[in-house]
Amino acid sequence: MTDRPMLIPIAGPYRSGTGGAPAAMAADLSRPEAAAWPVFDAGQVPVTGERIAPPVPRSAGAGPTDPLADQVLHPAADRPLAHRDAVLRLPGDSAGAGQDAATARRRGLPVHHDVAQIPRRVTAAGGAA
């Protein structure tokens, strides 16, 4: 239990194995989005790097499969998430999600593999936050 909301990145496949196909990437993105509600409902703050990072290469005129995206997507997502409290690692092959989990472990942070593992935040009155 924590007294403040935990910032919990939801890490899962986004571009890996999609060949850059927009429909496949959108399908991959639906999985972390589906996990966002249970994290929020537990009183925590869900975030996905896939929502944080894409404006960086896009503002440079690059798409998600452009070589520039390969250079900046992971660092752009990781910088604000340096303040993370844990990671929710969804199943599936993904270099970026694996990197997120490894970074969390190096920092001594928990890596959850199921939303049920995420601590529920409780208010002073005893209810969920």
Side-chain angles (χ1 to χ4, degrees):
M1 311 266 187
T2 64
D3 59 344
R4 68 169 179 78
M6 295 172 64
L7 181 65
I8 301 181
I10 302 169
Y14 174 49
R15 296 184 310 157
S16 298
T18 65
M25 290 190 308
D28 277 353
L29 188 55
S30 71
R31 293 173 53 217
E33 287 179 349
W37 171 251
V39 173
F40 182 82
D41 190 45
Q44 311 303 356
V45 180
V47 293
T48 63
E50 293 81 13
R51 291 295 185 206
I52 293 172
V56 177
R58 207 171 29 242
S59 67
T65 59
D66 188 281
L68 178 64
D70 287 336
Q71 296 172 24
V72 301
L73 282 176
H74 293 297
D78 192 54
R79 287 177 188 175
L81 300 182
H83 305 284
R84 71 187 97 195
D85 297 295
V87 168
L88 173 59
R89 174 59 167 101
L90 299 178
D93 291 336
S94 170
Q99 181 179 332
D100 287 349
T103 298
R105 285 187 188 99
R106 254 192 333 275
R107 293 179 180 162
L109 301 173
V111 175
H112 304 294
H113 295 276
D114 186 308
V115 293
Q117 297 171 321
I118 293 172
R120 292 194 65 80
R121 211 169 129 251
V122 178
T123 65

